Amino acid sequence: MTLPMSDPTAWATAMNNLGMAPLGIAGQPILPDFDPALGMMTGIPPITPMMPGLGIVPPPIPPDMPVVKEIIHCKSCTLFPPNPNLPPPATRERPPGCKTVFVGGLPENGTEQIIVEVFEQCGEIIAIRKSKKNFCHIRFAEEYMVDKALYLSGYRIRLGSSTDKKDTGRLHVDFAQARDDLYEWECKQRMLAREERHRRRMEEERLRPPSPPPVVHYSDHECSVVAEKLKDDSKFSEAVQTLLTWIERGEVNRRSANNFYSMIQSANSHVRRLVNEKATHEKDMEEAKEKFKQALSGILIQFEQIVAVYHSASKQKAWDHFTKAQRKNISVWCKQAEEIRNIHNDELMGIRREEEMEMSDDEIEETTETKETEESALVSQAEALKEENDSLRWQLDAYRNEVELLKQEQGKALREDDPNKEQQLKLLQQALQGMQQHLLKVQEEYKRKEAELEKIKDDKLQVEKMLENLKEKIYREMTAKEDRKRELTDYQKNENCASRMCASSQDSDYPLEKTLNSSPIKSEREALLVGIISTFLHVHPFGASIEYICSYLHRLDNKICTSDVECLMSRLQHTFKQEMTGVGASLEKRWKFCGFEGLKLT
């Protein structure tokens, strides 16, 4: 880089601040011991002359870094730096893709040659548009050259050594908005977008799964190949897909119908194999379940033995000989073993419950399967009748069209004076009579089919009602079984309570005759009622109303009266007591069992 310099010392200082080795006019270094890795300005990296686009102006410097600008000497002018204490010159917002700068404050006597001399060191200049009002627009080849040109903003320019006002000025460099820059930037963005779309498309094509192989066209040879594949279990799925595609394409015709029927028959024979496979898998599953259940029961037996060992070790005969730490470990191990045993026991009970539920479901399904088969038969008959009605309706429409055509031909024949008019009229009348008779038959058959359809619908409704009644009956039987179990448990509790009461009466000091004479229970029936009511109220600790108690007793005997029951309970004040529960409109009288407290009082 050889530039004319009037003041070599100032030029060397400026180049040293930029981190470059200063060069003379002939290209010799001015400072022979210059180290390019060192510079007077801290924070600026060393710059080499081999960097692309390098001129006398460095790249943009961060705003928080102090910048020392030096005097720049050119061939026809001199640039003086601005006051470093002044704020940096203001600039507008940078347009996208900006390569053009606005330069204001030029000297009145400044020429385009002087402008090129000053700004060509920032980079290659494409165009200069100079105005008569001391400003111009400069367009560079690259965007980074604009940043170098902005570095000269604020410099005072002087042409030669003249002090005339027309030969001086203050440069103001700012971004400029140009249509060419925006167009080039938009073209570049569109190119990048195309490249991105192309990249995404290539990525999608790479990640897209391969398309399935095409299905071959139908021919006799391919038909025989597919028929052989249908008989092979390993190639059955591929052959079925080919057969399905051929049928959907419409390859079935009168010539190939037999071949397609044989292939469909082969596919149907495959159903038996699938059913056998399912049966074998179910059998394997049942065997695996049985093995699992046996293994689980063996594990439970071993757990029981281990727990028994822990319990025997916890007895005082052996417990006293263990240390405190050993006792603690034994108790912890015992708890852990019991917890694991209970978990496995619950799992085994759950498996047994599931088996019982499956057996009960099978019983219900056996009763409903017959109904479902009858219902499916009725539905199939109804669908067949609908299809027949539709076909008859279509035939009726076709006959009506034929009659209209015959009428039109008859009208044409009347308009034409043919010699055979009478014969044609007779033939037409006979044809019309035959059509009318056939129409009447079709209408009668249509009505008959509709009546049959209505009958089938009624049968279907009756079958549904019977099915609902059967379900209700099954539900009632199950609830009755549960009620019987509950009554049996209540009766057992009642017998236990009665036995306790008899034992306490025998141990008392009072004679039996006196207690019988003073007892409020007058008969054995009332004693049974007292026992049943006591058991019922013991199950209901929060009490029950007299209606609820009598509804329970009516299941055992319909002749029981509500007033008799209430009178009996009111006589036994130490056995039953009446309380008011609820607030306001929900106030209700409830009877409670207090026999245990009354026994202590009596």
Side-chain angles (χ1 to χ4, degrees), residues 530-544:
V530 169
I532 293 169
I533 294 169
S534 302
T535 307
F536 180 77
L537 291 177
H538 184 65
V539 175
H540 296 77
F542 296 103

Side-chain angles (χ1 to χ4, degrees), residues 250-274:
E251 300 287 349
V252 182
N253 51 32
R254 188 171 295 176
R255 186 176 64 84
S256 62
N258 292 329
N259 294 333
F260 276 98
Y261 179 76
S262 62
M263 288 189 288
I264 293 169
Q265 192 174 8
S266 300
N268 184 39
S269 63
H270 197 73
V271 174
R272 192 180 300 107
R273 187 186 67 82
L274 295 176

Side-chain angles (χ1 to χ4, degrees), residues 123-281:
E124 182 183 355
I125 296 174
I126 302 298
I128 295 177
R129 294 190 299 274
K130 188 176 182 302
S131 176
K132 297 179 181 180
K133 297 183 179 180
N134 303 332
F135 70 88
C136 69
H137 289 85
I138 303 174
R139 189 164 188 260
F140 292 97
E142 299 294 337
E143 293 184 22
Y144 69 88
M145 300 175 184
V146 175
D147 300 324
K148 294 183 178 183
L150 290 176
Y151 182 78
L152 299 176
S153 183
Y155 270 80
R156 288 182 294 107
I157 183 171
R158 186 178 69 185
L159 303 180
S161 59
S162 176
T163 58
D164 191 1
K165 188 176 182 181
K166 294 183 179 181
D167 295 333
T168 60
R170 183 180 294 277
L171 297 179
H172 174 68
V173 186
D174 197 357
F175 299 109
Q177 189 169 5
R179 288 193 296 271
D180 296 339
D181 298 343
L182 182 61
Y183 176 73
E184 289 182 3
W185 181 79
E186 289 177 350
C187 291
K188 187 177 180 181
Q189 295 299 318
R190 283 195 291 269
M191 183 184 68
L192 293 175
R194 284 195 298 271
E195 291 178 356
E196 181 65 20
R197 286 198 299 271
H198 178 70
R199 187 188 64 77
R200 289 183 181 178
R201 194 181 300 112
M202 295 297 291
E203 188 69 18
E204 289 176 359
E205 289 178 359
R206 187 177 65 83
L207 297 175
R208 186 181 297 132
S211 58
V215 180
V216 296
H217 292 282
Y218 175 79
S219 64
D220 293 338
H221 173 68
E222 295 294 338
C223 179
S224 61
V225 171
V226 171
E228 292 297 328
K229 287 183 178 180
L230 286 171
K231 296 175 183 178
D232 191 359
D233 297 338
S234 60
K235 301 178 181 178
F236 178 78
S237 59
E238 180 184 355
V240 164
Q241 187 64 33
T242 306
L243 177 61
L244 178 63
T245 307
W246 284 349
I247 294 172
E248 290 178 351
R249 283 180 183 172
E251 300 287 349
V252 182
N253 51 32
R254 188 171 295 176
R255 186 176 64 84
S256 62
N258 292 329
N259 294 333
F260 276 98
Y261 179 76
S262 62
M263 288 189 288
I264 293 169
Q265 192 174 8
S266 300
N268 184 39
S269 63
H270 197 73
V271 174
R272 192 180 300 107
R273 187 186 67 82
L274 295 176
V275 172
N276 293 332
E277 283 186 3
K278 182 187 175 185
T280 55
H281 288 311

Side-chain angles (χ1 to χ4, degrees), residues 391-403 406 429-447:
S391 63
L392 291 173
R393 193 181 297 110
W394 294 334
Q395 291 179 6
L396 184 61
D397 295 335
Y399 288 139
R400 284 176 180 171
N401 294 331
E402 289 181 2
V403 169
L406 289 173
Q429 288 176 358
Q430 290 176 1
L432 287 172
Q433 288 177 0
M435 292 286 184
Q436 289 175 356
Q437 290 176 0
H438 189 71
L439 284 173
L440 291 173
K441 290 180 181 179
V442 169
Q443 289 178 355
E444 290 177 357
E445 188 173 0
Y446 181 72
K447 291 179 181 178

